[in-house]
Amino acid sequence: MISPREIKVKIVGIRKIQKITRAMQNVAASKMRLAKQRMLTTMPYATKIRDVMQHIAASDDWSEHPYLEKKVQGMEKVGYIVVATDRGLCGGLNLNLFKAVLEHVRSLPEQTDVSWCLFGKKAEVFFRAMGVNIVAHASNLGELPRVEDVLGAIKVMLDSYKRGQLHRLFIAHNECVNTLTQQPLIQSLLPLTAGKRATNFNGNYIYEPREEYHNLLDTVFTRYIEAQVYQALVDNIACEQIARMVAMQNATDNCKDIIDELQIMYNKARQGSITNEIAEIVGGAAAV
């Protein structure tokens, strides 16, 4: 039977762990407020530029642009931009995202060629272990990433799309629904299609000189992709802090439950040892 001393040592160790998890919970709660504020600040721009691009896709004037809908001949080639975290201790946030992405890949035709662009160490480690085709990756972007830090990886995917090496491009990240809910989100980036909000759009765009409109569209399309990826990054960071806060809160509560159980065991063991000592004294006195 375990001795009271050993139980006491375990209780002290778990209390130290409880202090660490409570401190991490408080830090994550503080960072969560800043992360959600950044997410809400960048969201209007990302939403508006998406609406603009859907309006452009609804116009017949740009139907020849390579970023718009086109027919696929032969084996389809699909690219995924996956946004995960650099650090762990955030519950099942990354694992749920990876499961959703793999489920989405399994829904594609069997002969589909898939390429990957990964953000975050956890994504890189996970997909490298699977032996998939990783064409670009970026990590250690920090809690306030800059657009310049993601341009290189994005350009690799856009260049592949322009050269016809990709026919479709998706982005996968965690979406912050509210403080209690974070869910994986997979969106189509390319080719652009007219969204629901653009179906009733009857206007048109006039550009002068007309011969240069492709250069303008290239720039606008690139800014659109950059905005969506950056919004996914800040959204995922907010989800990370929320998930870490909840995970550390659960860890703190679990530590308390374990300490309570060990305290009961300690009291029983201590009571048993006292009873044995009394029995030995009584037995010794009776023998005399």
Side-chain angles (χ1 to χ4, degrees):
M1 182 178 179
I2 188 170
S3 66
R5 181 180 178 83
E6 292 174 333
I7 297 175
K8 198 70 174 179
V9 171
K10 287 186 177 182
I11 291 176
V12 172
I14 294 175
R15 279 178 178 163
K16 291 180 180 179
I17 295 174
Q18 187 182 36
K19 290 181 180 179
I20 295 173
T21 56
R22 184 180 289 112
M24 294 180 67
Q25 174 189 345
N26 295 334
V27 171
S30 177
K31 291 181 178 181
M32 176 198 69
R33 289 188 286 269
L34 297 176
K36 288 185 68 175
Q37 183 179 357
R38 287 193 293 266
M39 178 191 71
L40 296 175
T41 301
T42 58
M43 187 177 296
Y45 174 76
T47 302
K48 191 62 179 178
I49 195 172
R50 187 187 305 118
D51 293 342
V52 171
M53 302 314 296
Q54 290 177 351
H55 289 168
I56 292 177
S59 173
D60 294 335
D61 292 343
W62 324 109
S63 58
E64 298 300 325
H65 196 277
Y67 282 167
L68 300 180
E69 192 71 49
K70 56 185 178 181
K71 296 181 179 180
V72 178
Q73 296 180 353
M75 182 175 61
E76 187 176 22
K77 301 176 182 179
V78 179
Y80 284 88
I81 299 176
V82 181
V83 180
T85 67
D86 285 319
R87 298 184 297 162
L89 298 177
C90 51
L93 186 73
N94 291 317
L95 185 59
N96 292 336
L97 175 64
F98 299 154
K99 286 181 178 178
V101 173
L102 294 178
E103 187 67 26
H104 193 272
V105 172
R106 283 192 287 268
S107 67
L108 300 175
E110 292 185 2
Q111 301 301 322
T112 303
D113 183 22
V114 181
S115 301
W116 301 85
C117 173
L118 307 175
F119 289 94
K121 286 184 178 179
K122 295 300 180 181
E124 184 179 352
V125 170
F126 180 85
F127 286 100
R128 282 198 185 281
M130 295 187 62
V132 298
N133 179 28
I134 301 174
V135 297
H137 64 87
S139 58
N140 296 321
L141 299 178
E143 295 169 1
L144 184 57
R146 300 178 302 170
V147 177
E148 296 80 3
D149 297 333
V150 303
L151 294 182
I154 296 174
K155 188 176 185 301
V156 172
M157 302 303 284
L158 293 181
D159 290 345
S160 298
Y161 191 90
K162 288 179 181 178
R163 292 192 297 264
Q165 296 174 350
L166 290 177
H167 300 136
R168 285 196 287 169
L169 181 61
F170 295 93
I171 183 169
H173 64 96
N174 289 292
E175 179 187 24
C176 180
V177 180
N178 52 51
T179 306
L180 298 177
T181 306
Q182 303 85 47
Q183 62 185 16
L185 178 64
I186 302 176
Q187 293 177 303
S188 175
L189 288 180
L190 295 175
L192 279 168
T193 56
K196 295 179 180 179
R197 298 177 64 177
T199 53
N200 298 324
F201 178 70
N202 297 321
N204 208 339
Y205 294 92
I206 300 175
Y207 180 77
E208 296 292 344
R210 180 71 177 179
E211 294 76 13
E212 299 295 329
Y213 80 91
H214 267 287
N215 294 333
L216 172 65
L217 283 183
D218 286 340
T219 302
V220 174
F221 279 131
T222 302
R223 295 294 177 269
Y224 158 72
I225 299 297
E226 292 171 359
Q228 301 308 307
V229 174
Y230 185 78
Q231 181 62 34
L233 282 171
V234 295
D235 203 351
N236 199 79
I237 290 173
C239 292
E240 176 186 0
Q241 299 303 336
I242 294 173
R244 181 168 293 118
M245 180 189 69
V246 174
M248 292 300 101
Q249 181 180 0
N250 292 336
T252 303
D253 295 340
N254 290 338
C255 285
K256 181 180 180 301
D257 294 339
I258 295 174
I259 290 173
D260 292 341
E261 292 177 2
L262 288 175
Q263 192 66 48
I264 294 174
M265 291 177 59
Y266 173 78
N267 294 337
K268 289 181 178 180
R270 185 168 177 270
Q271 183 179 8
S273 64
I274 293 174
T275 302
N276 290 334
E277 290 177 1
I278 293 175
E280 290 176 359
I281 293 174
V282 172
V288 172

